[in-house]
Amino acid sequence: MGVHDAMYILGGKWKIHLIAALLFGPKRYSDLLRDINGISGKVLSRELKEMEINQLVKRSVSNTQSNAVFYELTEYGESTKSIIAVLAEWGEAQREVIVHKNNDK
Amino acid sequence: MGVHDAMYILGGKWKIHLIAALLFGPKRYSDLLRDINGISGKVLSRELKEMEINQLVKRSVSNTQSNAVFYELTEYGESTKSIIAVLAEWGEAQREVIVHKNNDK
């Protein structure tokens, strides 16, 4: 079943958050550590390593900015855009549901 | 950001799998334990409890089959159908990518 295959690759607490952040463009490790609320350095390193192995993300060294290391989505990683878009849409809609519920109290 | 709101509700290892199973209709606890590969009874109980609290799932007692307890998606739970569909589509497409890669070796 497709859902299990997708969750095998995208499952866990952080991968969807990381992909959502990288959809805005290449990011440094320190950017990701700052942007992803609640993730530790150790977990971030492990998740990025897994995503490299799964070919969702590639690592490159910038020849301009003092050899800064950047992470960016591969074409394969970019293919998850449709999932991130639907999650974002659903999440936004839920926020309105929750706000309405709180206003009704 | 909508993705974070969605992952706050749907995140973790099992919720997407449970929703995908329940999209086929109401299920008993024992059905879910059998259908969701690798989940333990303790974790299944905890996840279902969380999903009830988050109003994704509702629990009902059958008045026909010896008071069997059924779990089914609420309307809110059903609203995640678009996410499950996109995940399933992406997962199916990945399976073909992986099969092609293995055939090329």
Side-chain angles (χ1 to χ4, degrees), chain B residues 19-72:
Chain B
I19 290 172
L22 289 168
L23 276 174
F24 292 98
K27 290 239 163 53
R28 285 170 304 188
Y29 177 90
S30 51
D31 302 329
L32 292 169
L33 199 57
R34 181 200 60 216
D35 292 353
I36 312 285
N37 203 358
I39 197 167
S40 73
K42 194 177 146 202
V43 168
L44 177 56
S45 303
R46 188 195 65 208
E47 292 290 310
L48 287 171
K49 195 77 214 143
E50 269 179 38
M51 292 172 82
E52 270 187 86
I53 291 165
N54 283 335
Q55 298 173 18
L56 287 167
V57 152
K58 63 186 174 204
R59 196 171 173 278
S60 53
V61 182
S62 153
N63 41 29
T64 52
Q65 293 181 31
S66 63
N67 296 336
V69 171
F70 280 83
Y71 291 91
E72 59 188 298

Side-chain angles (χ1 to χ4, degrees), chain A residues 1-13 16-17 20-21 24 35-37 55-56 76 79-80 82-92 94-95 97-98 101, chain B residues 1-13 16-17 20-21 24 35-37 55-56 76 79-80 82-92 94-95 97-98 101:
Chain A
M1 206 178 141
V3 172
H4 299 297
D5 296 315
M7 293 311 289
Y8 177 76
I9 295 167
L10 301 176
K13 192 172 173 180
I16 295 275
H17 294 280
F24 292 98
D35 292 353
I36 311 286
N37 202 1
Q55 298 174 20
L56 287 167
Y76 176 49
S79 73
T80 62
S82 54
I83 297 169
I84 304 296
V86 167
L87 277 168
E89 209 180 295
W90 188 82
E92 292 292 339
Q94 300 327 308
R95 201 184 290 180
V97 166
I98 290 161
K101 274 186 198 161
Chain B
M1 208 179 138
V3 172
H4 299 299
D5 296 315
M7 292 311 290
Y8 176 77
I9 294 167
L10 301 177
K13 191 172 174 182
I16 295 276
H17 294 280
F24 292 98
D35 292 353
I36 312 285
N37 203 358
Q55 298 173 18
L56 287 167
Y76 176 49
S79 72
T80 61
S82 53
I83 297 169
I84 305 297
V86 163
L87 277 168
E89 210 180 294
W90 188 80
E92 292 290 339
Q94 299 327 308
R95 199 184 293 178
V97 166
I98 291 162
K101 272 188 197 159

Side-chain angles (χ1 to χ4, degrees), chain A residues 14-102:
Chain A
W14 300 105
K15 289 198 178 64
I16 295 275
H17 294 280
L18 282 165
I19 290 173
L22 289 169
L23 276 174
F24 292 98
K27 289 237 160 51
R28 284 170 305 187
Y29 177 89
S30 52
D31 301 329
L32 292 168
L33 200 57
R34 180 199 60 214
D35 292 353
I36 311 286
N37 202 1
I39 197 167
S40 72
K42 193 178 144 199
V43 168
L44 176 55
S45 302
R46 188 195 64 206
E47 292 290 310
L48 287 171
K49 194 77 211 148
E50 267 179 40
M51 292 172 83
E52 269 188 86
I53 292 165
N54 284 335
Q55 298 174 20
L56 287 167
V57 150
K58 63 186 173 200
R59 196 170 172 278
S60 52
V61 181
S62 155
N63 42 28
T64 52
Q65 293 181 30
S66 63
N67 296 334
V69 171
F70 280 84
Y71 291 90
E72 60 187 298
L73 292 175
T74 59
E75 200 183 316
Y76 176 49
E78 293 266 354
S79 73
T80 62
K81 220 179 237 179
S82 54
I83 297 169
I84 304 296
V86 167
L87 277 168
E89 209 180 295
W90 188 82
E92 292 292 339
Q94 300 327 308
R95 201 184 290 180
E96 275 148 40
V97 166
I98 290 161
V99 165
H100 273 302
K101 274 186 198 161
N102 291 344

